[in-house]
Amino acid sequence: MARIARRFQRVEPRATAHAFVLGLLSGVERKNCWGLAEQAGHARPGPMQRLLRSARWDADEVRDDIRAYVFEHLGADDGVLIVDETGFLKKGTASAGVQRQYTGTAGRIENTQVGVFLAYASSRGRALIDRRLYLPDASWCRDAERRTRAGVPDQAEFATKPTLAGQMIAAALDAGIDASWVTGDEAYGQDPGLRALLESRRTGYVLAVACSTRVRINQGRTTARADAVADRLPASAWHRQSAGAGAKGPRYYDWAWIKINADDYRHLLIRRNPGSGELAFYLCWSPRRVPLSELVRVAGTRWCVEECFQAAKGQVGLDHYQVRHWTAWHRHITLAMLALAFLTALVADTTPTRPAQPNRPAHSTDPIDLTVPEIRHLLGTLLNPTNTSPHRLLHWSNWRRHHQATARRSHYRRRLANSSSG
């Protein structure tokens, strides 16, 4: 909180912001203004509501502090920027940007707000570092009365989701975030403008695209659909590699890559599920030569943003807000990102670097490292003391992590055995 204190000119909103973030880190069930005010011991929710709606502070400046804080704690040579969106289901039509639209949160068309987010992921952890509220064109950008009621600023114009992603990526790079790669799903990979922006910034990308995407083959002499290219590949073109560790062990897939431009390092990357045979396709570009394993690593990193959304919504109330105003949305989301960044930094700073121990007994199992949910649980209990003593609290934390390590080890063995037999 000391890092962002200068963003608040008055002591009252500064103290309320401190209580707000403590509430997000607590175990309170609903992390809206009412629940957070009760958790803080306030007599009414008014101070929390003013913090989000009318207090004088700039959420974008706090966002800049979060971005720098995340890179300070998680920055590494293998850092990747990830773009993705998530939905916030809403009732009514007054919330800024809300309309019936598809959201992966529900898996169908729902009345929802959609936020486009940028995450940073490295071997040290992952966290959200920027956000944009998507403002639909016909139902919002062209409706002046509706914009005024929701507090949408005059300078907010319609921008596609890939355009919003490009704005956040450019801002992160300009702010000194050192990331050699960007990844995202089809909604972003299909956009030529975003790919051109990344190439102009000399930033490599591994972006998912549809199976119908046409690519150049035979040294650029002909074009073909991506799925047609995959059908023509010989068995020797496929290589089984892990896309990173999952909850149940290494995520092994079969991978193939085809150079699609003779003049630079541009590839079509294809992923095949060994069990179902399902295919996924990626357009890849890099300013230098890289091995297949590097493209696979970046493609696998995309799942980190889903972990960020899950942690942000499940642990710090990213989607618990009950606000309609444009400014209030950005402020709640920003403070939730701050709480998540704090938890992620704690995880990174408390994760030990264990030296190799070749004589370690085969049956020995260390507890898993502290996770964001576990640290949030410990902090929440300390911030809201109960009859549980610190000794008993740590006892149960150690027990859970030992149990989870045993389960994970069993999953890994089974996954490796299945991979070897395949």
Side-chain angles (χ1 to χ4, degrees):
M1 293 303 300
R3 296 177 70 108
I4 68 167
R6 68 187 189 281
R7 306 303 187 186
F8 301 89
Q9 297 181 6
R10 295 177 57 85
V11 66
E12 294 86 357
R14 187 184 311 138
T16 304
H18 182 266
F20 195 100
V21 175
L22 284 178
L24 295 177
L25 294 170
S26 74
V28 64
E29 183 178 359
R30 290 299 298 170
K31 296 174 180 177
N32 52 37
C33 287
W34 288 67
L36 297 180
E38 182 180 3
Q39 170 69 21
H42 295 177
R44 62 192 190 283
M48 297 291 186
Q49 293 170 338
R50 283 195 298 274
L51 176 73
L52 297 186
R53 180 67 183 266
S54 59
R56 295 186 62 183
W57 63 284
D58 191 329
D60 285 347
E61 292 178 346
V62 175
R63 181 271 323 272
D64 294 344
D65 293 335
I66 295 169
R67 186 170 55 202
Y69 176 76
V70 167
F71 190 68
E72 177 183 317
H73 287 269
L74 306 184
D77 293 339
D78 59 353
V80 176
L81 294 173
I82 315 166
V83 291
D84 202 0
E85 63 199 61
T86 190
F88 302 90
L89 302 181
K90 303 295 290 183
K91 301 292 185 181
T93 61
S95 299
V98 71
Q99 73 169 14
R100 287 188 60 79
Q101 54 192 321
Y102 178 82
T103 171
T105 303
R108 60 184 181 273
I109 295 177
E110 284 284 356
N111 197 57
T112 183
Q113 294 171 297
V114 172
V116 181
F117 287 81
L118 181 68
Y120 177 83
S122 73
S123 54
R124 292 183 53 77
R126 68 274 302 172
L128 302 173
I129 61 172
D130 205 347
R131 73 286 177 269
R132 297 285 194 280
L133 179 60
Y134 173 67
L135 199 64
D137 187 15
S139 62
W140 276 95
C141 290
R142 305 180 193 177
D143 191 331
E145 182 180 352
R146 198 179 190 193
R147 289 171 61 110
T148 300
R149 287 198 304 267
V152 178
D154 294 339
Q155 62 269 26
E157 300 178 348
F158 173 72
T160 65
K161 295 167 187 174
T163 298
L164 295 175
Q167 293 171 0
M168 292 188 291
I169 292 168
L173 296 176
D174 290 341
I177 301 300
D178 186 12
S180 301
W181 293 99
V182 170
T183 186
D185 64 17
E186 287 184 23
Y188 304 94
Q190 295 289 143
D191 188 83
L194 178 59
R195 300 199 304 268
L197 168 68
L198 295 174
E199 292 178 25
S200 70
R201 299 297 299 254
R202 307 295 291 172
T203 302
Y205 58 77
V206 179
L207 295 169
V209 293
C211 63
S212 58
T213 301
R214 300 193 69 85
V215 296
R216 292 188 175 276
I217 56 176
N218 299 325
Q219 297 183 342
R221 293 192 296 271
T222 59
T223 63
R225 283 173 54 114
D227 52 1
V229 173
D231 290 340
R232 301 173 193 170
L233 293 175
S236 59
W238 297 95
H239 308 273
R240 184 159 297 183
Q241 295 190 18
S242 170
K248 297 183 179 179
R251 296 173 299 175
Y252 280 105
Y253 295 94
D254 296 326
W255 301 85
W257 60 334
I258 301 95
K259 191 173 178 61
I260 57 176
N261 191 311
D263 299 329
D264 60 13
Y265 304 114
R266 198 179 302 273
H267 294 86
L268 173 68
L269 177 67
I270 307 172
R271 187 192 75 204
R272 183 177 68 190
N273 187 303
S276 65
E278 181 183 5
L279 299 176
F281 304 89
Y282 305 84
L283 286 182
C284 310
W285 179 86
S286 62
R288 53 183 174 79
R289 186 187 302 275
V290 295
L292 171 63
S293 58
E294 179 69 355
L295 299 183
V296 170
R297 179 188 73 82
V298 177
T301 303
R302 188 173 70 83
W303 282 285
C304 291
V305 72
E306 300 296 343
E307 297 174 358
C308 287
F309 290 148
Q310 182 179 9
K313 292 182 177 182
Q315 302 300 323
V316 296
L318 184 76
D319 58 343
H320 289 195
Y321 61 87
Q322 293 178 331
V323 297
R324 297 175 176 177
H325 200 268
W326 171 277
T327 299
W329 185 90
H330 284 84
R331 289 181 172 184
H332 175 92
I333 296 297
T334 301
L335 293 176
M337 287 169 49
L338 174 61
L340 178 64
F342 171 68
L343 292 174
T344 306
L346 278 181
V347 170
D349 293 346
T350 57
T351 300
T353 302
R354 297 189 180 93
Q357 300 181 30
N359 297 325
R360 188 177 184 81
H363 63 273
S364 178
T365 303
D366 285 324
I368 67 168
D369 295 326
L370 286 165
T371 61
V372 165
E374 186 67 22
I375 286 186
R376 211 284 309 153
H377 172 73
L378 295 172
L379 280 173
T381 305
L382 293 174
L383 293 172
N384 189 22
T386 64
N387 293 328
T388 303
S389 68
H391 176 76
R392 187 170 182 79
L393 185 65
L394 292 175
H395 162 77
W396 277 104
S397 176
N398 288 329
W399 185 89
R400 279 193 297 271
R401 293 188 293 120
H402 273 287
H403 179 77
Q404 291 165 345
T406 300
R408 183 177 66 178
R409 187 172 182 176
S410 298
H411 285 312
Y412 272 42
R413 283 177 172 173
R414 189 179 303 113
R415 183 67 62 86
L416 290 171
N418 293 339
S419 176
S420 298
S421 63

